[in-house]
Amino acid sequence: MADNAEKQKQDSDLPVEELAKIYQTDLVKGLTSAKAEEIFKRDGPNELEKPPKPTLLTLFLMQLTSFIIILLICAACASVAVNATGPSAADPLSYTTGVAIAIIVLINAGIAAWTEHKAGDALEALSQMQQENATVIRDGRETEIPVSKVVRGEVVVLGVGDVMPADTRLFEASDFKVSEMALTGEPDDVAKTSKKKKNEGGEEKLLPENMAFSSCNVTNGAGRGIVTDTGMSTRIGRIAQLIAGEDGGKKTNMCGFPDTSANQTPLQKNLEKLGARIGILAIVICIFIFIIGWAADRRDPNNQESAAWLYMILVSVTLAVAAIPEGIPLCVTISLSLGCADMVNENVLVRKLAAVETLGSASVICSDKTGTLTEGKMTMVGMWAAGKTYTVTGKGFDPEVGGVQRADTQADGKNDMGVKSNLLAALLCCNTRLEKVKNDETGEMEWKHKGNSSEAPIVVAARKVGFSESISDEYPRVLEVPFSSSRKMMLTVSEVGGAALCPGGMPFTEPTKYLAVCKGAPNYIVDLCTETLNEAGEAEPLSDEAKKDILKIVDSYSARALRVLAVAARPMSELPYDVNDEDINTDQKFAACRQNLRLIGLVASIDPDRDGVPESVLAARGAGIRVVMITGDYLLTARAIAKNVNILQPTDDEDVAAVDCVCLRPNGDYIDKAEMDQLTKSVRVFARAKPEDKLEIVKSIQRQGQVSAMTGDGVNDAPALNQADIGVAMGIQGTQVAKGASDMVLTDDNFCSIVKAVEKGRAIYSGIQKFVAFIMSVHIAEVMQIFVCIVVGIPVMRTPLQILFLILVTDLPPSIALGMEPGESDILNQKPRPKEEPIVLNWMWLAMVMNGAILSIVIVGIYIISLSHFCDGEFLQARIYELDGFETKLSCAQTVAFIALVWAENIRAYISRSFTRPMWHDILGNKHMQKAIVMAQICLYVAVLTPGFSDLILGLRGVEVGIWGWAVALLGPFGTFVLSEAAKLISKWQADKYQQSLVTEDEKLPVRVVKPKVQEMKEDVSSVLPNKLGKKGEVVYASGDKNEQMEKPKGFDDMPLAAAIPGKRQQNPCCWVWCWH
């Protein structure tokens, strides 16, 4: 790091000619193609290093370190070892149990590894898709090359809208400014120079003024420079290295694999805890049964001479197979991988397999404004020109959609003198271009701007009224004074000719050769104006009262979150300064040209909220999730935007819910943790936020036990993305560093995608809980049945291979279907899960034990009946083994119990679709369940009716049990259905009680968002709402068509409403909101 700093200082201090010799380049001709290729081979691509991508084999081996998988491997080894030392060692069929367990382990590891491998490939594809180009000089010609191909010594050509491709020493800089916010967090643009300024004893600046750094946006002027560092040698590369850690992110665990424990999500931790608990319980049960069986001298019926302890080892392996839920890792992997695939369709790329679940548990979403809650495309929506007010329609950068209308009459105003004069004058004071480019992803042509985003609305609006792309070329520019934070305006002087600014535009009453135009902050511009343009095209004096009236118009625009610029001009017959006087600096020229300005008009733009965002914010609030907007905008603007997107509700106290981030650091240092936590607990809007503020806000939210999701796109957002429970990077605007620090990437930068991911995450987690409960109850039942058989002296009901077949062939498809269960209709009305909540809650454990006991009682009862029927009235092991042909008789009884269990489990699969609702509720709502049950039934009949496979391998005899056996087996599903539905009443009571325990006194009641029909809402709401809605804690959102005017509903005054507000959004201006408390 020290060497890099020293090199950077040397690159900054050396004369540029000497620097060019060091890098073997030419300031005019640049590098030759051959030299550039040589350097590229030596230094590698100009990109940030990514953590070494685990190979498919490494991912596969990592899956084998799970606690449950290790237990299964031990069980498989024990089975093979015991059989290898027994009398059937030469029989290949004796090893089927161990081989079957091994196959299941390999399948699970293979699916998990492949899924994570494909997720990594998808992220790489996204990264490649978003590569930018840079303009360089090679072989004496300007050419565009991919940023990754830029090498040290390259001469780069820079202009407004470009992104610095690498760390660069400038040797030409004309009013050149860059945004170093990604590096420093400071929002103000930084002026750069090509000269090395002497330090007059003051503190040396952190970033040299004659160098511009990789990933910084060029916001003004033009320049050229020599690339001095690329890739990880850049300043941003060193930040990325710090984020990865001193070891470069190469920590390993005790097995030598990459250590991912620090990045585990709640689901992964819960599964680890569940696996450990189950494993320890399985070991204890196996030891307990082994001791009991050994003490009771239980011997192998096929080899009575063998030792009891040897037989009990085989029984213990059977019990281990029955106790260890080998299907859980596979089902979880499949459920999460399918969830990740679904997220791609929702414009969410999940970088970590279980990350989507974490977002489902989020209780706070901290979101950027620009591009996430809003379009990220400044759009002009209003204009005041020559004393008249206009509405500008359209959205985004498409000049072919929308137009300019008079606000009072809705008449077309594009040919009005004031409109044409205002927009053309503003256009002459812009450096932004509008162009139609091909979208590489969709293949469609779309409009994009290149340059300052605040100028883009002016360029688009000018094209809407008919000005061509090349109109500025007809007015040669002779002077430009760029915008600065101190001037608060930009000034240009252009050559003009003729009697008017343009056909139909502002007339010139005196001979005019030059036109000075000022564009900037209204209060500064208006203060400099001495006259204004009226509707007739005449200049009239601008009095102090008139100025106040104009500023009131500005305030009315600002209150609607509109960004307002004033446009003023000064016709001149000659320049007010001597162009030949080299001693006149830019500030003096600026002061001379801005005198006696004529106010032409105002333009008001907004970054419109994205379609669906207001509804998504309401849905998030209904889900018990607090949406927090963190923006660099001023407080007044932030509040207005927050209202537009429903982050601030009518009942919120704006002074409490929306604050300036200065209150977090009143004296430069952050306030103490207790005070910070109290503040962040209730705030929904943080204005004028710096990137480092995000990190402190996240830490505070986490200290309160909340699960936080944080969005970000800049390099300085990376620490906050790392700190958050789940970091969400922007796919379009996000830097590679931000994406690398995140858990998931929004490919469309849209807040709505986050809310959809929350819903999907909750549905996935709920599905996992359901199939875990389903599988665990099966294993609990298997353990109970074997325990009863060993203790009572009944022949063991099933072999290990039969248990594996049951669990992984007939039970696994329904389990996977439960993992794909659609989210219940009220899933977004439920409260977020507590951060440390286990995947299986206490009341779920009781439900599993109850269902396991029900299954055991029913199946053991059927087994005993079958033993009595087929074994001459005997059911005890000792008596049965004395019968002639007992193997066939016992096999028939086991077959009836096997069939009954499969049928009962298929019924239970439908029962398990909900912990609280009856089985018949939306019984066909999960199409995957129907397929799974059909598959399970086919597997059953193959298992019991296929000669050779049924009797020789599985030991089942479906034909020999006859009609009696199949009829008795029907008692299994019937008894299970009746008893399990009865037990569900207990589960419902416990689940409701648990949900109530999550609601604290200081929290608002859950909110439900309802949209009644507009026809009903137009009528008497007093007769509509109380009967259909009106419940405590509900929010009712009723909206009309965007072109339809909806008056205040009748009966409004009689309703016990907390709030009712007319909607003001452009897409849907007619809406009302009711909230009961």
Side-chain angles (χ1 to χ4, degrees), residues 84-137:
T85 57
S88 303
D91 184 6
L93 293 177
S94 64
Y95 301 101
T96 52
T97 299
V99 172
I101 296 174
I103 290 173
I104 295 305
V105 167
L106 295 177
I107 290 174
N108 174 78
I111 292 176
W114 179 253
T115 302
E116 291 198 21
H117 182 70
K118 295 300 288 182
D121 289 344
L123 187 71
E124 185 66 25
L126 178 69
S127 173
Q128 294 296 325
M129 181 184 71
Q130 294 166 336
Q131 281 193 346
E132 299 287 344
N133 289 332
T135 302
V136 302
I137 297 179

Side-chain angles (χ1 to χ4, degrees), residues 248-295:
K250 298 178 182 178
K251 290 183 180 179
T252 57
N253 58 22
M254 59 184 296
C255 301
F257 297 120
D259 184 9
T260 58
S261 59
N263 298 322
Q264 281 189 324
T265 68
L267 176 61
Q268 290 171 315
K269 293 176 182 177
N270 284 330
L271 286 174
E272 286 291 331
K273 291 179 182 178
L274 179 63
R277 188 183 300 182
I278 293 170
I280 294 171
L281 187 61
I283 293 171
V284 171
I285 292 174
C286 288
I287 294 173
F288 180 66
I289 294 296
F290 175 83
I291 293 173
I292 290 178
W294 189 15

Side-chain angles (χ1 to χ4, degrees), residues 249 761 1020:
D1020 189 346

Side-chain angles (χ1 to χ4, degrees), residues 16 205 359 780:
V16 70
K205 290 190 176 182
L359 190 55
I780 290 171

Side-chain angles (χ1 to χ4, degrees), residues 869-890:
H869 177 78
F870 290 107
C871 298
D872 304 332
E874 301 293 344
F875 62 87
L876 293 177
Q877 178 174 305
R879 298 284 186 88
I880 291 174
Y881 289 168
E882 296 173 355
L883 300 176
D884 293 335
F886 75 89
E887 294 94 343
T888 301
K889 295 177 179 180
L890 179 58

Side-chain angles (χ1 to χ4, degrees), residues 635 639 643 648-649 652-659:
L635 184 57
R639 282 177 177 173
K643 290 177 183 176
L648 286 180
Q649 295 283 301
D652 289 330
D653 184 345
E654 291 185 12
D655 292 333
V656 175
V659 301

